[in-house]
Amino acid sequence: MALCIILAAIALLIVGYVFYGSWLAKQWGIDPTKKTPALEKNDGVDYVEAKPAVLMGHHFSSIAGAGPINGPIQAAVFGWVPVFLWCVIGGIFFGGVHDFGALFASIRHDGKSVGEIIKSSMGKRAKKLFIIFALLVLILVIASFVNVVAGTFFSADGAKFGFTTNPTNNQTTAIISVLFIVLAVIYGILTNKCGVKTLPATIIGIVGIIAIVIFGLNVGFVMNRTAWIIFVSVYIAVASLIPVWIMLQPRDYLSSFLLYAMIAIAVVGIIMSTFTGSATFEIPAFAGWKVGGNFIFPTLFITVACGACSGFHSLIASGTTSKQIDNEKNAKAIGYGSMLIESALGIISLIAVGVVWANKGDFGSPSAIFGAGIATLFGKPGTGVYNTISALLTLAVSVFALTSLDSATRLSRFMFSELFLKEDEATWKDASGIRKVLAHPLFGTCLMVVVGATLGFLKLSAIWGLFGAANQLLAGIALLAVCAWLGEVGKNNKMFYIPMVFMLAATLTSLVLTVIGKIKAMVVGAEGAMFWGNWFQLIFAAAMTVLAVILVIEGVQTFAKQRKNK
């Protein structure tokens, strides 16, 4: 069953990429002869031309994070068929259109954010509202992934501090992830300052990855959870401020090899288990329209998140990727192709939880379930093969979460500055008074990191549901923004209508239900209802709902005006 599922998914995703992706590129007018922002505005910090393979690594590692692993695993309670269908159909017709469209639109707007795209068709007020909304989502991204990374690094004996032999998976993951940062800096210096070509540098990088993995399997590092949250917070703040060639590009490029290895290991394991019978896929095909008090709509479409469609991807596409792409012709592979690979990863996550379905509660977090599920395809728990593969897969998840954190914090810096700059001000240096302080990269970075990391102390369950709804709502708004811009410039935008309406309906429904649920719990005095985390969820959900409704009204008025002008 598992082999049939993964082969069917891969075949459908490839067909979608070849035919639908090519049709989209033709409809929008992808032009290989046009100069990209990376070539026209190269500044050595944010606008830096990258080779397609390197940029593909950055883009995919950044958009993947822990989303396509956490989401499908949690949504599997509805059965494998609904998750499979949403990952495949959602990836091809929703997420792929969203990612590709956001990247292309940003390239045609000097590599600027979705906020700038909105301004060109919907006006300045809509731009400001979108930036505020996006910053709220980025706070949740930082909170969610700080929580995931700290939880992955932290182990039961976290009261200790320092190196340890015979490490646990968490301790192994922690030391390898830290050494991976050092390796990325070395790679960046070799390729950008020492003149080493991509191929030999890549070989050095892969050898380095193997070396630090071997070291980490024998020597681990221990800190408590609070210390790891502080460490991660300092790291992402620094990484977001330094030039992309030092950390962002090399780290994401090298981490992409972990991803490719992870997918290859999973596929090999699925094939082996099919013929040896070492593991079975046990998830029911369909568990019902309502499971655990949650209806399949909107819960499934919110929970799967990055495996099918994710608003965070539009921020990456228009925040960092569009500033590094060297040719418009590569936008299809990087924007549309990366989304479909992420959908395939979502299907692999579904298979992983299917393998350990009978005792999934014994593994704890979705990341641990993923590692255990794929490792079970190769051997029984406790064996050397099982432990090694489980540790490697846990490492890959933490690396992707860190790359998403890097990019999310850098995006926060861009958008926070953009919020306080006037039209004739290019950077914070051009501003004056309090706006110069607020637009300063250091101010926005520190504020977003402190708020996000503080929320990271909450349980992941208290953040993820809200993050999923906010993230998917951002996708609906980004679809609206690109749709409005394409209509403004006279290009075909009809492929956006259904994804846009569906994502807005599902996410607004989810947020309204969250607000109603929190208010009811507080009114009846339910246990723990007055906890500050619940207040945070209530206020956050209400604020995002109001902002989204205003933006939707602005969008409807824009579409009506365009229709009238035609």
Side-chain angles (χ1 to χ4, degrees):
M1 176 63 76
L3 183 60
C4 292
I5 289 172
I6 191 64
L7 290 178
I10 291 173
L12 290 170
L13 292 170
I14 289 175
V15 170
Y17 176 79
V18 172
F19 293 101
Y20 196 61
S22 298
W23 181 76
L24 292 174
K26 185 177 180 180
Q27 292 296 306
W28 298 341
I30 294 292
D31 186 358
T33 65
K34 282 184 70 72
K35 275 194 171 184
T36 63
L39 299 174
E40 289 188 326
K41 302 180 66 174
N42 191 305
D43 60 4
V45 179
D46 297 314
Y47 288 85
V48 179
E49 177 187 357
K51 293 185 180 298
V54 175
L55 187 56
M56 182 78 169
H58 154 68
H59 183 79
F60 182 79
S61 298
S62 296
I63 66 171
I69 292 170
N70 284 1
I73 286 176
Q74 293 184 72
V77 294
F78 289 102
W80 71 264
V81 170
V83 177
F84 174 87
L85 291 175
W86 179 231
C87 281
V88 173
I89 296 173
I92 294 172
F93 297 106
F94 289 67
V97 174
H98 167 274
D99 293 18
F100 189 12
L103 177 57
F104 173 63
S106 179
I107 292 171
R108 291 294 177 91
H109 285 80
D110 295 327
K112 293 182 179 178
S113 71
V114 176
E116 195 66 27
I117 298 167
I118 282 181
K119 190 191 81 171
S120 68
S121 57
M122 294 168 56
K124 296 178 182 178
R125 186 178 71 164
K127 172 191 172 181
K128 295 289 184 183
L129 290 171
F130 174 82
I131 292 175
I132 294 170
F133 183 88
L135 287 172
L136 292 177
V137 174
L138 286 170
I139 287 174
L140 292 177
V141 172
I142 294 171
S144 298
F145 291 149
V146 162
N147 186 299
V148 168
V149 173
T152 304
F153 289 176
F154 168 67
S155 54
D157 53 353
K160 299 177 182 179
F161 179 87
F163 295 97
T164 180
T165 55
N166 193 25
T168 65
N169 279 1
N170 300 65
Q171 295 159 359
T172 289
T173 301
I175 188 64
I176 296 176
S177 296
V178 173
L179 291 175
F180 202 94
I181 296 171
V182 177
L183 182 64
V185 173
I186 293 172
Y187 180 93
I189 293 172
L190 286 176
T191 54
N192 288 275
K193 294 299 179 183
C194 299
V196 179
K197 299 295 183 182
T198 301
L199 180 59
T202 300
I203 295 172
I204 294 171
I206 293 174
V207 171
I209 292 173
I210 295 171
I212 63 176
V213 166
I214 293 173
F215 178 81
L217 289 171
N218 294 279
V219 179
F221 192 78
V222 188
M223 283 199 304
N224 62 41
R225 191 169 183 274
T226 300
W228 278 121
I229 288 179
I230 294 172
F231 171 83
V232 172
S233 301
V234 172
Y235 161 71
I236 61 176
V238 173
S240 72
L241 291 166
I242 59 180
V244 292
W245 64 265
I246 295 178
M247 178 65 69
L248 192 73
Q249 285 180 354
R251 175 186 168 77
D252 293 358
Y253 174 59
L254 292 176
S255 68
S256 68
F257 287 99
L258 282 176
L259 167 76
Y260 305 143
M262 180 174 72
I263 292 177
I265 288 171
V267 172
V268 169
I270 292 167
I271 295 172
M272 284 178 52
S273 66
T274 299
F275 294 102
T276 62
S278 58
T280 57
F281 184 80
E282 301 181 20
I283 299 180
F286 181 61
W289 299 105
K290 185 178 181 182
V291 177
N294 295 311
F295 288 97
I296 197 168
F297 180 89
T299 308
L300 172 76
F301 307 99
I302 301 304
T303 306
V304 170
C306 305
C309 185
S310 168
F312 179 59
H313 296 187
S314 68
L315 300 185
I316 296 293
S318 66
T320 57
T321 306
S322 61
K323 294 177 175 65
Q324 300 172 64
I325 195 165
D326 64 345
N327 194 304
E328 276 192 11
K329 69 180 181 181
N330 297 320
K332 175 191 166 187
I334 293 169
Y336 195 75
S338 291
M339 178 62 242
L340 299 192
I341 297 175
E342 189 162 1
S343 293
L345 181 55
I347 298 296
I348 290 173
S349 302
L350 176 65
I351 292 171
V353 71
V355 170
V356 295
W357 183 257
N359 57 349
K360 62 184 183 299
D362 297 340
F363 298 102
S365 70
S367 301
I369 291 173
F370 178 79
I374 300 302
T376 301
L377 298 171
F378 291 88
K380 294 181 179 180
T383 62
V385 173
Y386 175 94
N387 291 338
T388 299
I389 291 178
S390 180
L392 289 174
L393 294 176
T394 305
L395 164 67
V397 175
S398 73
V399 167
F400 298 142
L402 274 175
T403 56
S404 293
L405 277 169
D406 292 355
S407 299
T409 312
R410 186 175 288 266
L411 291 170
S412 299
R413 169 167 69 81
F414 293 154
M415 302 190 82
F416 205 89
S417 293
E418 196 175 330
L419 184 62
F420 295 101
L421 292 176
K422 293 182 178 180
E423 295 299 317
D424 58 342
E425 296 170 343
T427 70
W428 65 274
K429 296 177 182 178
D430 300 322
S432 59
I434 188 64
R435 288 190 304 101
K436 189 168 188 175
V437 176
L438 295 173
H440 195 288
L442 194 60
F443 182 87
T445 299
C446 292
L447 179 64
M448 294 292 289
V449 169
V450 168
V451 174
T454 300
L455 294 174
F457 282 98
L458 290 171
K459 290 182 179 180
L460 183 60
S461 58
I463 309 170
W464 191 260
L466 188 56
F467 161 69
N471 183 40
Q472 305 304 75
L473 184 53
L474 178 62
I477 294 173
L479 286 164
L480 183 152
V482 179
C483 181
W485 169 68
L486 287 171
E488 195 74 19
V489 295
K491 295 185 181 293
N492 185 4
N493 63 355
K494 292 182 176 62
M495 68 287 293
F496 284 87
Y497 291 173
I498 292 176
M500 174 180 67
V501 172
F502 183 85
M503 296 309 300
L504 289 172
T507 50
L508 285 172
T509 300
S510 178
L511 285 172
V512 170
L513 289 175
T514 297
V515 171
I516 293 173
K518 295 301 176 185
I519 292 175
K520 281 184 176 179
M522 292 175 181
V523 170
V524 301
E527 184 179 353
M530 303 308 288
F531 174 58
W532 71 270
N534 286 329
W535 279 104
F536 155 72
Q537 292 182 65
L538 172 61
I539 295 170
F540 224 80
M544 286 189 293
T545 301
V546 171
L547 282 171
V549 169
I550 295 172
L551 282 167
V552 169
I553 293 171
E554 296 267 4
V556 170
Q557 291 174 342
T558 299
F559 291 136
K561 189 183 298 181
Q562 290 176 355
R563 189 177 182 85
K564 184 178 179 181
N565 290 339
K566 283 184 180 179

